[in-house]
C-alpha cells in the first residue's frame, strides 16, 4: 500500500511539474501563507474567504463549502486544501470535474507544519527555497 501511495504522489508531482506557472486555488489560510512565503503569490488565482492574501484575488467561498462553479470557471491547475477543511462531497465534486485536488495533512504540530510547507514547496518547484526558509 505504501509503495502505491508513493507511486501516486510521484506521478502527481511529475504531472504538476509540467506547469511552468501553475494556476493555484488555496482553500485554507496555511496553504495561502505558504505559497506567499515561497514567492509564488502570482500563481494564486483564488482563495477561500478565510484567507487573507496580500494581493487582490478571487474569493471562491468558504473552505468547507467552496463555490464549485466559480472554481471550475477559473480553470485551476491545482486546488490545495487541508484534511478536514473542505467537505468530502466538495472535494469529490471538484475531482469529478477533472480538477486536480491535493489534500495535505492537517497540521497538529511543528513537524506537520514543516512537512506541509516542504510538500507545497516541492509542488511549486521551490524545494530549495522551502528548505532554506525552514532550516535557516
Amino acid at each position: 500500500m505504501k509503495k502505491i501511495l508513493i507511486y501516486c504522489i510521484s506521478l502527481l508531482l511529475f504531472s504538476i511539474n509540467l506547469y511552468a506557472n501553475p494556476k493555484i486555488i488555496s482553500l485554507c489560510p496555511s496553504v495561502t501563507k505558504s505559497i506567499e512565503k515561497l514567492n509564488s503569490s502570482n500563481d494564486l488565482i483564488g482563495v477561500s474567504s478565510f484567507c487573507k492574501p496580500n494581493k487582490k484575488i478571487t474569493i471562491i467561498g468558504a473552505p468547507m463549502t467552496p463555490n464549485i462553479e466559480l472554481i471550475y470557471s477559473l480553470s485551476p491547475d491545482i486546488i490545495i486544501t487541508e484534511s478536514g477543511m473542505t467537505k468530502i462531497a466538495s472535494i469529490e465534486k471538484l475531482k469529478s470535474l477533472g480538477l486536480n485536488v491535493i489534500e495535505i495533512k492537517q497540521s497538529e504540530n511543528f513537524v506537520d507544519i514543516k512537512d506541509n510547507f516542504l510538500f507545497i514547496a516541492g509542488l511549486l518547484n521551490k524545494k530549495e527555497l522551502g528548505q532554506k526558509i525552514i532550516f535557516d
Side-chain angles (χ1 to χ4, degrees):
M1 181 68 172
K2 190 175 181 180
K3 287 182 180 181
I4 294 172
L5 181 61
I6 291 171
Y7 172 76
C8 290
I9 290 172
S10 299
L11 186 60
L12 177 66
L13 289 174
F14 175 74
S15 66
I16 290 169
N17 287 336
L18 296 177
Y19 301 108
N21 294 309
K23 297 188 300 183
I24 303 170
I25 291 179
S26 168
L27 297 179
C28 70
S30 62
V31 171
T32 301
K33 290 301 172 194
S34 295
I35 290 168
E36 290 174 345
K37 190 73 174 168
L38 291 161
N39 301 321
S40 294
S41 295
N42 290 337
D43 295 337
L44 281 170
I45 60 167
V47 296
S48 78
S49 57
F50 286 18
C51 299
K52 304 272 190 266
N54 54 6
K55 72 173 193 169
K56 189 170 181 167
I57 195 165
T58 302
I59 304 297
I60 51 79
M64 289 293 282
T65 54
N67 183 325
I68 305 293
E69 293 81 16
L70 179 57
I71 291 173
Y72 186 77
S73 74
L74 294 172
S75 301
D77 296 316
I78 309 168
I79 302 164
I80 308 174
T81 190
E82 188 175 283
S83 296
M85 239 358 217
T86 307
K87 288 185 177 182
I88 294 172
S90 295
I91 292 171
E92 293 305 318
K93 179 65 176 174
L94 291 166
K95 287 180 177 179
S96 75
L97 294 170
L99 299 173
N100 186 11
V101 181
I102 298 171
E103 205 174 352
I104 61 173
K105 179 182 176 184
Q106 185 174 14
S107 299
E108 296 178 12
N109 54 48
F110 180 74
V111 172
D112 293 342
I113 294 168
K114 175 188 66 92
D115 289 346
N116 285 342
F117 183 80
L118 292 173
F119 179 78
I120 292 167
L123 288 176
L124 301 175
N125 292 319
K126 299 213 173 178
K127 191 174 182 178
E128 287 181 27
L129 176 60
Q131 290 175 336
K132 182 177 182 192
I133 291 169
I134 291 290
F135 299 111
D136 279 356

